[in-house]
Amino acid sequence: PVERYRTQAERIAGGATGLRLDIPGDHQDEITRLGGTLNAMLEAQEHAAERQQRFIADASHDLRTPLSALTAEVELALRRPRSAAELTDALARVGEDADRLTTLTDDLLTLGALDGAALAAESIRVRESLEAAAARARAQLRDGADRSVTIDAADELLAYADAALLARALGNLVDNAVRHGAGTITLGAAPFAASTAAGCLIYVHDQGPGMEPAFIPHAAERFRRGTTSRTGPGTGLGLALVEAITAVHHGQLRICSGAAHHHITAGANAAHVACRHPGSGTTTSLVLCGPCADVVPDRT
């Protein structure tokens, strides 16, 4: 059986796909268990390769679209003499395409940098991170819009996290709440002490109609966008970045919308932590486990 495994593995190493080791089904011993483990590894590798190919194809498409738009705008502007006003309009459209391309490239580079990155985590005041994200949300809301932003977190509350990465994740979440949500946006945090871990649960809630239930399990996949958001701004990488940031913290990302609840990131240590949100609207939560205390120690 070992020689049979070796022969089949040699074919797989030579580029053959879809192959699995032949495991005898009439008995169980260490050789058959080894074959089962190797087959599981091959399955995981093939899935990873498929995800990588899809990501490359999607990234190529999304990078090519703004580049093509930029080229078309420039060629159109140069096709004949233009007035100053026409050139200003063309430059404005070029600027919009350049901004989208810059955002997309930055998101892709950040995702790539997070793979295998060392986490620079420390005990940080959650309220300060939430206030920065709330200011970002308020800046995007139109003047006179019937929407507000509130914060529900104690001043002394700590979380064990990379401050820059947490700010990036919260920024993406409030962007989604402003763009796709409705009503009041609430940014909150609370400590937790579960049977397996202690830490901080951070969430962003809005009062909008919520996500499509069938889309929630796929919301954090790269370049996946719901049917209601495909024509709007965004690259389809916002929640993917949040998921990657949560994963590097060994935490858990949750999306709760109406009656649909989904744990995007496994986060076994956080599995027993209860959610904190109303029964309506959409809530995205980051469950961050860490060694820090629940609150800032009393320095007096």
Side-chain angles (χ1 to χ4, degrees):
V2 175
E3 177 61 19
R4 185 169 64 248
Y5 287 177
R6 189 200 65 78
T7 302
Q8 292 171 317
E10 191 173 46
R11 292 179 60 195
I12 295 170
T17 59
L19 294 182
R20 297 294 181 269
L21 306 181
D22 292 332
I23 303 174
D26 56 350
H27 65 280
Q28 281 288 327
D29 57 21
E30 64 272 19
I31 299 297
T32 57
R33 290 195 295 273
L34 173 62
T37 301
L38 292 174
N39 279 342
M41 181 185 69
L42 290 170
E43 189 80 20
Q45 287 182 328
E46 286 195 3
H47 285 319
E50 290 172 0
R51 289 195 301 270
Q52 184 182 45
Q53 289 300 318
R54 286 198 301 269
F55 175 68
I56 292 173
D58 289 338
S60 299
H61 175 269
D62 277 65
L63 284 170
R64 191 177 294 113
T65 300
L67 285 172
S68 298
L70 276 170
T71 303
E73 289 288 355
V74 172
E75 289 178 349
L76 185 62
L78 295 175
R79 187 168 296 173
R80 63 173 176 79
R82 304 280 174 174
S83 66
E86 289 175 324
L87 289 175
T88 299
D89 290 341
L91 286 174
R93 291 191 294 271
V94 167
E96 291 174 358
D97 291 331
D99 287 343
R100 182 184 175 196
L101 185 59
T102 300
T103 300
L104 177 59
T105 303
D106 183 53
D107 287 346
L108 289 171
L109 290 174
T110 302
L111 278 170
L114 285 173
D115 291 336
L119 186 65
E122 59 182 343
S123 297
I124 62 174
R125 292 177 181 266
V126 180
R127 179 93 187 188
E128 294 178 2
S129 299
L130 295 179
E131 286 175 349
R136 178 185 179 117
R138 294 186 183 106
Q140 296 180 65
L141 294 174
R142 296 189 304 274
D143 293 337
D146 187 20
R147 302 191 66 183
S148 60
V149 182
T150 63
I151 298 177
D152 180 16
D155 292 338
E156 303 83 5
L157 182 63
L158 292 177
Y160 188 71
D162 183 304
L165 291 180
L166 179 60
R168 183 67 177 270
L170 289 174
N172 286 1
L173 293 183
V174 298
D175 288 351
N176 281 347
V178 169
R179 188 177 300 140
H180 306 299
T184 299
I185 298 173
T186 302
L187 291 82
F192 67 82
S195 58
T196 54
C200 183
L201 184 147
I202 304 171
Y203 64 90
V204 176
H205 173 80
D206 73 80
Q207 299 173 320
M211 293 185 183
E212 307 153 60
F215 175 69
I216 291 178
H218 308 285
E221 294 177 6
R222 298 175 182 184
F223 299 108
R224 288 294 292 266
R225 304 174 69 184
T227 55
T228 59
S229 62
R230 287 175 184 163
T231 58
T235 62
L237 288 175
L239 280 176
L241 263 175
V242 176
E243 192 276 334
I245 290 170
T246 307
V248 81
H249 280 84
H250 304 290
Q252 185 179 74
L253 171 63
R254 300 175 178 178
I255 299 178
C256 305
S257 187
H261 301 257
H262 195 78
H263 295 180
I264 300 295
T265 311
N269 289 338
H272 302 294
V273 178
C275 291
R276 291 172 59 91
H277 57 77
S280 60
T282 298
T283 305
T284 307
S285 305
L286 310 179
V287 185
L288 303 180
C289 302
C292 64
D294 288 341
V295 296
V296 177
D298 186 353
R299 294 183 176 85
T300 60

